Amino acid sequence: MDARIDPAAACGIALGDAHVIRNAGGDAQDALRSILISQHLLGTREIILVKHIGCGMLTFSNEDARAALRGNGGKVEDGFEFRPFSELRDALRRDVEFLEGHEGLARDVPVSGWVYDVGTGKVDRVV
């Protein structure tokens, strides 16, 4: 979701070569519907999950997000899950495990997890 990141440039992807699904925190569960459509209806043969250093999802709790939303006049249920995380690489590993274990995804499609450094432009494979 971070506007500082150009996925094509960061990963060397040419226009039209990939379906890029973006959301806050690079959250796999949040992106699942789009991933399933991409894979089963559009023929995607690989899933690359990318999170980035300095992600805003590292900076707040669910309670903080609910309070901010309400403070700005928004409404949200007490149990609404914004899915923040406290450790980037652990969150990436959990998301890759979630995708690898999901019954809806094809078993023969590789899933990998990467961390992008916004400052240097370097991308490192974690999972």
Side-chain angles (χ1 to χ4, degrees):
M1 186 169 116
D2 194 309
R4 299 172 293 172
I5 302 170
D6 177 354
C11 298
I13 301 168
L15 184 63
D17 283 350
H19 300 138
V20 178
I21 303 162
R22 298 173 74 142
N23 64 39
D27 187 277
Q29 290 184 42
D30 191 34
L32 182 61
R33 180 183 64 90
S34 296
I35 293 169
L36 290 169
I37 290 168
S38 178
Q39 186 179 80
H40 292 290
L41 300 177
L42 302 173
T44 298
R45 303 309 313 153
E46 182 175 7
I47 299 170
I48 299 171
L49 181 62
V50 180
K51 295 185 185 287
H52 71 88
I53 292 173
C55 180
M57 298 298 284
L58 291 160
T59 66
F60 61 86
S61 66
N62 277 309
E63 295 76 24
D64 295 334
R66 287 185 207 113
L69 195 107
R70 291 176 179 139
N72 289 320
K75 294 184 179 185
V76 65
E77 304 104 31
D78 285 337
F80 187 84
E81 180 66 44
F82 286 91
R83 304 185 49 75
F85 44 85
S86 59
E87 210 295 313
L88 187 68
R89 285 170 174 76
D90 287 345
L92 183 61
R93 286 183 191 96
R94 281 192 303 273
D95 277 354
V96 168
E97 288 172 7
F98 167 77
L99 291 174
E100 289 177 334
H102 195 278
E103 294 178 356
L105 295 173
R107 296 291 121 217
D108 63 337
V109 173
V111 179
S112 59
W114 301 73
V115 171
Y116 177 74
D117 186 325
V118 177
T120 66
K122 186 177 178 186
V123 183
D124 290 316
R125 186 174 186 156
V126 174
V127 184

